[in-house]
Amino acid sequence: MKKLLIKLIRLYQKYISPMKRTKCPYIPTCSQYGLEAIEKYGALKGGLLAAWRILRCNPFSHGGYDPVP
């Protein structure tokens, strides 16, 4: 499951992300954060951390530096 999620994120980074007009306000980007979280904590906990980050990423967020814990 971990490898599948990593492949999906990399596909997103390569093909979908460059077509988006808006950029992520966070550093690292949400997709990079998800990749690092899944690699560090595994599919379940890393996936939950990534999902929480994506929920926080909206036009009203302040963004900034937010590394994987």
Side-chain angles (χ1 to χ4, degrees), residues 42-62:
L44 183 60
K45 185 175 180 181
L48 290 173
L49 285 169
W52 178 244
R53 169 70 175 273
I54 291 169
L55 288 173
R56 291 184 292 144
C57 190
N58 61 61
F60 303 109
S61 69
H62 296 296

Side-chain angles (χ1 to χ4, degrees), residues 1-68:
M1 187 66 166
K2 179 178 173 178
K3 289 181 182 182
L4 175 65
L5 290 174
I6 289 172
K7 283 188 180 201
L8 288 173
I9 292 171
R10 290 211 171 118
L11 284 171
Y12 168 82
Q13 287 177 331
K14 186 172 182 179
Y15 296 109
I16 298 172
S17 183
M19 293 188 299
K20 289 177 55 182
R21 289 184 184 174
T22 60
K23 299 295 178 194
C24 183
Y26 288 102
I27 298 172
T29 62
C30 293
S31 59
Q32 186 61 37
Y33 181 94
L35 193 64
E36 292 174 13
I38 291 169
E39 287 175 343
K40 185 173 182 179
Y41 293 111
L44 183 60
K45 185 175 180 181
L48 290 173
L49 285 169
W52 178 244
R53 169 70 175 273
I54 291 169
L55 288 173
R56 291 184 292 144
C57 190
N58 61 61
F60 303 109
S61 69
H62 296 296
Y65 183 65
D66 183 28
V68 176

